[in-house]
Amino acid sequence: MQFYRFFTDDQVKRIHEASLELLENVGILVHNAQARAIYGQAGCKVDTESGIVKFPAQVVEKARQSFVPTYTFLGQDPAFDKVLPQDGPVVVTGSSAPNIIDPKTGEERRATSIDIANIAYLINELPGFDVFSISTLAEDAPAGQFSLSRFYPALKNCKKPVRSNTPNIKDLEQVLELGALIAGSEEAYLERPFINHHYCPMVSPLTMDINSTDAVIYLVEKGLPVYGTVVPNAGLTSPMSLTGTVTLGNAEFLALSTLIQSIRPGAPMIYAVLSTVADMRTGNYAPGAIETGILQMAHTEMANYYHVPSGGYIGLTNSHVNDAQSGYETGMNTTAALLAGGSLFNMGGLLGSLMAFDFGKAVTDSEIAMNLKQIQRGMEFSEENLCLDLIAKVGPGGSYMSEKHTVKNMRKTAVLPKIANRDMRGRWESEGRTDYQTRAMREADRILSKENPARFSAELDRKIRSHFPNLVAGDAKWYL
């Protein structure tokens, strides 16, 4: 597949060189002492007083030599495993919103562990999604179980790869204990680690935090799957220049990559971003703006230069309802990223600049995802697919509707959406003049009203609940 490009080869190389200049001359403010030590051992210049780490170009280039071209998401069920980029587009839910649009009242409220269980079940059943990145927080989490109250209902109700993060090492260790219980032993889990971890240790501009960096180091040392996202915001935390923002974000990616490869050469990574441009009329965050898609396209060019998988939070919306704005922001930005060669899309289910999950939006995004996957498939060129014999047989003025070829190929040639309406107006009116959100919520209701086939066995659930007293119930419980 040919990819769309903004830059020539020389321009891509110049952005890389400019990123190296930033790392060598300006450096990264690294708050994490362990990371500073790792950088120092790798040959970086560490100022222990200021915390600034400067990167000689040869240190970054050495790290680049151990980049690998693939990244694998494992699920509890191996049938759902996905390898980037060849299985792309790999479609992931948006994650960690504090709120949810209540499916009964339509009002925004704090999300709970029951919501996570319902979302996990829905994502397990929606064909467009490949990975469940835990969509919300859990307001009802017992003390000391903040992360368990998210990962447990997610893993209990979804066999696809599950991904999220933790606020500290204690929570991370609890989540890994949960993984070992599900796998049957710590050894079995380490052999097939089906919990996928993601953090944002880089804080633009050019800063590395403490807790997320701790988690990345911990997981890389153990050989467990983890990757990071860089999030420059033009006008606020990066220059009000698309190319300048790409350059700064690329420097941050290289800094994080150097840390990871210095710990474990050959550790799989994703060049993941959420680069945005602030709406400077208000200073508001604008992840749904078309510039998010343009920036993702440019970062993808850099990822292709480094031969690593690419993607990130793309296809988000600023809209507070699942409406035309939500649809065009998600559709345009994800299509742009796909055509540039992106293979990971955190696009599903969130409204209001990542603040709230909506069930109808998730169903909508699954349908958008199916269309993206169809674009990726493209056309298969072959003599057989030219259909010359069939065209000659039907001849001028004939019909292909009754041909066996049509029946054989109708389901694989075209996407047949379940929610989008293709009926004539009269039929649409006779069936209640429903809008897309109404039909999407009906589909969510249809799925979530059934028994969940992905749920843990009773025996496994008893074992987990015995190990973690006071754990949330973690059961999908639909409201409608």
Side-chain angles (χ1 to χ4, degrees):
M1 183 174 178
Q2 294 285 329
F3 297 133
Y4 184 87
R5 297 185 62 181
F6 290 125
F7 305 125
T8 65
D9 289 345
D10 286 343
Q11 289 168 340
V12 168
K13 185 178 179 184
R14 178 62 189 127
I15 291 172
H16 170 66
E17 292 169 346
S19 300
L20 293 180
E21 290 173 26
L22 289 176
L23 291 174
E24 186 156 13
N25 300 323
V26 179
I28 301 287
L29 174 57
V30 180
H31 290 297
N32 187 291
Q34 189 179 4
R36 290 197 300 269
I38 293 168
Y39 281 132
Q41 291 167 4
C44 294
K45 299 174 182 177
V46 179
D47 186 323
T48 53
E49 287 192 16
S50 68
I52 296 290
V53 175
K54 294 186 177 179
F55 298 69
Q58 63 268 25
V59 174
V60 181
E61 294 295 353
K62 180 182 178 182
R64 273 187 65 196
Q65 298 308 308
S66 58
F67 287 6
V68 295
T70 62
Y71 187 98
T72 302
F73 286 95
L74 299 175
Q76 292 181 72
D77 182 344
F80 293 118
D81 292 356
K82 294 294 177 182
V83 181
L84 295 175
Q86 50 261 51
D87 290 337
V90 169
V91 178
V92 187
T93 47
S95 56
S96 299
N99 298 336
I100 194 162
I101 306 301
D102 189 286
K104 221 172 196 177
T105 67
E107 298 297 318
E108 188 170 331
R109 60 166 172 78
R110 287 294 187 186
T112 69
S113 60
I114 296 174
D115 296 315
I116 293 172
N118 285 331
I119 299 166
Y121 176 18
L122 181 69
I123 298 308
N124 195 74
E125 299 301 304
L126 287 173
F129 288 105
D130 303 297
V131 177
F132 176 39
S133 183
I134 304 175
S135 300
T136 69
L137 306 181
E139 181 77 0
D140 58 333
Q145 294 188 352
F146 174 83
S147 296
L148 279 177
S149 298
R150 302 180 68 218
F151 279 88
Y152 170 61
L155 292 160
K156 186 175 183 177
N157 294 281
C158 185
K159 291 294 186 285
K160 293 178 179 178
V162 169
R163 189 212 81 160
S164 196
N165 51 37
T166 53
N168 53 57
I169 294 296
K170 181 182 176 183
D171 274 34
L172 177 55
E173 289 174 340
Q174 285 184 328
V175 169
L176 294 176
E177 284 179 43
L178 174 62
L181 288 167
I182 297 169
S185 69
E186 184 177 350
E187 293 73 24
Y189 179 75
L190 291 174
E191 193 172 309
R192 185 179 170 76
F194 49 78
I195 299 174
N196 302 271
H197 305 271
H198 165 265
Y199 294 89
C200 297
M202 299 302 308
V203 181
S204 298
L206 301 174
T207 302
M208 184 171 279
D209 79 354
I210 295 176
N211 289 336
S212 291
T213 305
D214 270 341
V216 169
I217 293 170
Y218 181 94
L219 290 162
V220 173
E221 286 178 339
K222 287 185 173 294
L224 294 170
V226 62
Y227 69 97
T229 295
V230 297
V231 290
N233 185 208
L236 297 181
T237 65
S238 67
M240 183 51 83
S241 153
L242 296 183
T243 306
T245 294
V246 170
T247 303
L248 183 143
N250 191 66
E252 292 176 339
F253 165 74
L254 289 174
L256 177 58
S257 301
T258 299
L259 177 71
I260 290 171
Q261 298 304 318
S262 296
I263 298 167
R264 184 162 60 90
M269 305 182 307
I270 302 173
Y271 190 134
V273 301
L274 175 47
S275 291
T276 52
V277 176
D279 189 326
M280 296 308 291
R281 296 171 298 181
T282 58
N284 284 345
Y285 188 47
I290 194 61
E291 290 77 20
T292 305
I294 295 169
L295 287 164
Q296 177 68 74
M297 295 170 77
H299 281 295
T300 297
E301 286 192 64
M302 300 310 300
N304 292 340
Y305 176 72
Y306 299 129
H307 303 292
V308 292
S310 65
Y313 283 82
I314 186 69
L316 305 173
T317 182
N318 286 83
S319 180
H320 299 288
V321 294
N322 189 26
D323 59 2
Q325 177 185 341
S326 170
Y328 82 69
E329 288 180 342
T330 297
M332 291 182 70
N333 280 325
T334 52
T335 301
L338 181 73
L339 294 178
S343 55
L344 179 76
F345 295 77
N346 276 92
M347 58 171 277
L350 299 191
L351 297 172
S353 308
L354 298 110
M355 290 301 291
F357 178 89
D358 179 76
F359 287 93
K361 171 66 170 162
V363 173
T364 302
D365 291 341
S366 176
E367 202 148 274
I368 292 174
M370 296 302 288
N371 285 283
L372 293 171
K373 292 170 190 283
Q374 182 78 333
I375 295 173
Q376 179 75 14
R377 280 190 288 271
M379 295 188 188
E380 179 189 346
F381 184 86
S382 68
E383 286 296 320
E384 180 185 356
N385 284 338
L386 293 175
C387 299
L388 295 180
D389 291 342
L390 178 63
I391 293 169
K393 174 189 172 186
V394 172
S399 172
Y400 293 87
M401 181 169 284
S402 60
E403 293 294 325
K404 289 182 180 178
H405 181 275
T406 300
V407 175
K408 177 183 175 182
N409 290 283
M410 59 183 283
R411 293 190 180 277
K412 64 181 182 181
T413 296
V415 173
L416 301 175
K418 296 184 80 171
I419 315 304
N421 189 291
R422 293 176 173 176
D423 292 332
M424 298 299 288
R425 185 177 183 90
R427 181 167 181 177
W428 169 71
E429 288 181 336
S430 70
E431 293 183 351
R433 302 168 61 99
T434 56
D435 60 18
Y436 195 99
Q437 174 69 352
T438 299
R439 296 193 298 276
M441 287 302 296
R442 284 179 181 172
E443 178 65 5
D445 180 55
R446 184 191 69 79
I447 292 171
L448 291 169
S449 295
K450 300 185 301 180
E451 189 68 25
N452 180 7
R455 195 178 184 280
F456 284 162
S457 68
E459 181 183 0
L460 174 58
D461 207 32
R462 281 193 298 270
K463 183 168 72 170
I464 293 171
R465 301 189 66 80
S466 173
H467 188 83
F468 295 110
N470 304 316
L471 197 58
V472 295
D475 296 317
K477 183 180 178 183
W478 188 228
Y479 312 94
L480 296 185

